[in-house]
């Protein structure tokens, strides 16, 4: 969950050394340094794990509901606030069981793995840079963004299969295997597998909006994260005091800026790209014979029978039939998701502050 940006390195805690240590002082300093290093690693691992768990596990029900709202063109309730979101999510769990909001989580991990693996393979077999150094130039940036675009293009059919798993109603859904995402993705490429309707858009039609969304998401989030990190590090003192309580706080300050920067960047980019994501998901889901839950009531199911011809047509139809707010269906789930994430980060920081204070 800790995304290092261009040329950044993981901050390390270095214990201060007395100006004129004696023999006994050397031993005490080494022991204190070792303990502080262990505490630093413990704090960094625990805080990062809590953030990773929140982003990929606790937030998944919000992502499921948000996607169902985005593709539900029937919906009269747009769920722009968290209050209606929570009540309908409760109805889903009550009528279909808790697993109704955790569906497709395995496939999302698979898509992330495919994306990371594809990016690594392409960067190793081509001159396209995976990371940008401080001494970057326009050619390197172009190659780097081309790498990101190719990665999203290759992962696109698997992302489409994962999207279907997350929005498909649990009422009519078969017990899908964890590798069905890969099978359905390959089937989408070669034109085999589950039969689709004639309204299914070809992959080449989906390529542009998918790559556009992926690159914009990366560029905007990276820029915001870098900007927030610069501000936070200016506010964080670089000198390390010898007082234990301040040393503990310094350990936390070494790790939290990156998590806070990542949190703010993800929140901003999800808000800014929400309309484009709504259009993208509707294009991916069209013609797949997917049955979704009724997000107005929390029970019953609805078919997806859209007939968009492409990106521009989808934008025009949503604007005409559902209004501008139609692009923001399910936005309340984003508020719930990031409120939960912020709460977990704050609670984690308080817990580790207390634990490290006692250990110090």
């Amino acid at each position: 969950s800790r995304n290092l940006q261009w040329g950044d390195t993981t901050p390390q805690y270095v214990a201060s050394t007395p100006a004129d240590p004696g023999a006994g002082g050397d031993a005490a300093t080494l022991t204190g340094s070792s303990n502080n290093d262990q505490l630093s690693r413990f704090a960094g691992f625990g805080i990062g794990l809590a953030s990773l768990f929140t982003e990929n596990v606790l937030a998944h029900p919000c992502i499921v509901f948000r996607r169902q709202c985005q593709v539900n063109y029937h919906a009269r309730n747009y769920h722009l606030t968290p209050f209606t979101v929570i009540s309908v999510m409760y109805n889903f769990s009550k009528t279909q069981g808790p697993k109704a909001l955790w569906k497709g989580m395995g496939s999302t991990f698979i898509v992330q793995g495919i994306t990371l693996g594809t990016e690594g393979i392409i960067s190793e077999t081509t001159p396209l840079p995976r990371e940008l150094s401080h001494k970057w130039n326009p050619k390197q940036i172009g190659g780097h963004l081309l790498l990101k675009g190719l990665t999203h293009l290759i992962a696109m059919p698997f992302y489409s299969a994962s999207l279907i798993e997350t929005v498909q109603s649990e009422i009519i859904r078969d017990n899908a295997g964890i590798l069905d995402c890969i099978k359905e993705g390959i089937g989408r490429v070669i034109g085999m597998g589950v039969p689709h309707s004639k309204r299914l858009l070809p992959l080449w039609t989906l390529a542009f909006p998918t790559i556009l969304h992926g690159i914009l998401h990366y560029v905007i989030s990276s820029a915001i994260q870098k900007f927030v990190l610069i501000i936070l590090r200016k506010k964080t003192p670089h000198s390390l005091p010898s007082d234990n309580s301040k040393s503990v706080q310094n350990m936390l300050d070494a790790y939290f800026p990156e998590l806070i920067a990542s949190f703010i960047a993800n929140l901003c980019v999800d808000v800014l790209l929400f309309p484009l994501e709504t259009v993208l998901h509707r294009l991916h889901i069209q013609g797949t014979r997917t049955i979704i839950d009724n997000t107005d009531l929390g029970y019953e199911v609805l078919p997806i029978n859209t007939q968009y011809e492409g990106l521009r047509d989808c934008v025009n139809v949503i604007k005409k039939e559902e209004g501008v707010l139609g692009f923001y269906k399910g936005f309340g789930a984003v508020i719930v998701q990031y409120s939960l994430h912020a709460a977990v980060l704050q609670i984690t920081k308080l817990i580790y502050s207390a634990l490290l204070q006692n250990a110090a």
Side-chain angles (χ1 to χ4, degrees):
S1 66
R2 302 180 60 226
N3 300 319
L4 298 181
Q5 296 303 310
W6 307 337
D8 288 350
T9 57
T10 303
Q12 298 293 328
Y13 177 77
V14 182
S16 58
T17 305
D20 187 19
D26 286 339
T29 301
L30 290 175
T31 303
S33 176
S34 177
N35 290 336
N36 284 336
D37 286 342
Q38 291 179 358
L39 289 174
S40 179
R41 286 193 292 268
F42 174 69
F45 175 77
I47 293 169
L49 184 63
S51 180
L52 185 67
F53 178 77
T54 305
E55 289 177 7
N56 296 281
V57 180
L58 288 183
H60 191 74
C62 298
I63 295 173
V64 168
F65 186 77
R66 158 181 158 187
R67 289 180 172 183
Q68 285 190 316
C69 292
Q70 287 176 320
V71 300
N72 186 4
Y73 66 96
H74 304 278
R76 296 180 179 273
N77 190 340
Y78 287 12
H79 296 293
L80 301 176
T81 66
F83 307 107
T84 58
V85 169
I86 295 174
S87 62
V88 176
M89 289 175 69
Y90 172 77
N91 289 339
F92 282 158
S93 299
K94 186 177 179 180
T95 56
Q96 303 178 35
K99 64 179 181 179
L101 294 174
W102 301 92
K103 56 193 175 187
M105 186 167 65
S107 65
T108 59
F109 286 120
I110 290 177
V111 172
Q112 290 179 15
I114 292 175
T115 301
L116 292 174
T118 301
E119 185 175 321
I121 293 174
I122 295 177
S123 65
E124 292 294 331
T125 56
T126 66
L128 301 178
R130 190 173 187 178
E131 302 290 341
L132 290 176
S133 62
H134 288 292
K135 298 180 180 180
W136 51 265
N137 55 54
K139 183 179 179 180
Q140 287 181 337
I141 292 180
H144 184 63
L145 294 181
L146 177 59
L147 172 64
K148 295 293 183 181
L150 291 175
T151 300
H152 287 293
L153 179 64
I154 294 174
M156 179 175 63
F158 306 102
Y159 177 84
S160 183
S162 175
L163 174 65
I164 294 172
E165 286 191 20
T166 56
V167 301
Q168 182 85 281
S169 176
E170 195 69 23
I171 296 177
I172 54 92
R173 184 169 174 259
D174 297 329
N175 293 325
I178 193 171
L179 297 179
D180 282 0
C181 171
I182 298 178
K183 182 178 69 175
E184 294 297 331
I186 296 175
R188 181 79 180 263
V189 174
I190 63 178
M192 298 178 62
V194 178
H196 301 108
S197 73
K198 294 181 179 180
R199 291 175 284 105
L200 182 71
L201 294 173
L203 290 177
W204 61 266
T205 303
L206 301 175
F208 175 72
T210 302
I211 295 174
L212 176 65
H213 178 269
I215 291 180
L216 286 178
H217 192 284
Y218 171 74
V219 171
I220 296 174
S221 63
S222 297
I224 294 176
Q225 186 171 355
K226 189 73 173 179
F227 177 73
V228 174
L229 269 177
I230 292 173
I231 295 177
L232 293 177
R233 285 173 176 170
K234 283 183 178 180
K235 294 182 178 181
T236 303
H238 296 283
S239 58
L240 299 179
S242 58
D243 181 71
N244 282 339
S245 62
K246 294 183 179 179
S247 297
V248 169
Q249 184 61 40
N250 197 282
M251 276 188 250
L252 293 172
D253 289 341
Y255 291 97
F256 258 87
E258 289 183 13
L259 294 179
I260 294 174
S262 177
F263 169 81
I264 295 175
N266 289 331
L267 172 60
C268 291
V269 76
D270 277 352
V271 172
L272 292 174
L273 295 185
F274 197 93
L276 178 58
E277 185 182 73
T278 298
V279 174
L280 177 66
H281 287 169
R282 291 201 184 188
L283 295 177
H284 271 277
I285 212 74
Q286 178 172 300
T288 58
R289 301 182 186 274
T290 301
I291 304 295
I292 65 171
D293 295 304
N294 187 333
T295 56
D296 286 339
L297 305 173
Y299 50 88
E300 297 181 353
V301 294
L302 298 169
I304 299 296
N305 295 317
T306 55
Q307 298 182 10
Y308 306 123
E309 297 178 0
L311 177 64
R312 180 178 297 180
D313 182 57
C314 183
V315 171
N316 292 334
V317 171
I318 293 176
K319 186 176 180 180
K320 179 181 178 180
E321 297 183 357
E322 303 170 55
V324 175
L325 292 180
F327 294 101
Y328 291 91
K329 284 185 174 179
F331 186 78
V334 175
I335 301 176
V336 175
Q337 175 184 342
Y338 284 97
S339 298
L340 178 64
H341 193 175
V344 171
L345 279 179
Q346 185 61 32
I347 292 173
T348 304
K349 184 175 182 179
L350 293 175
I351 292 175
Y352 273 92
S353 294
L355 292 176
L356 293 174
Q357 185 66 50
N358 292 334

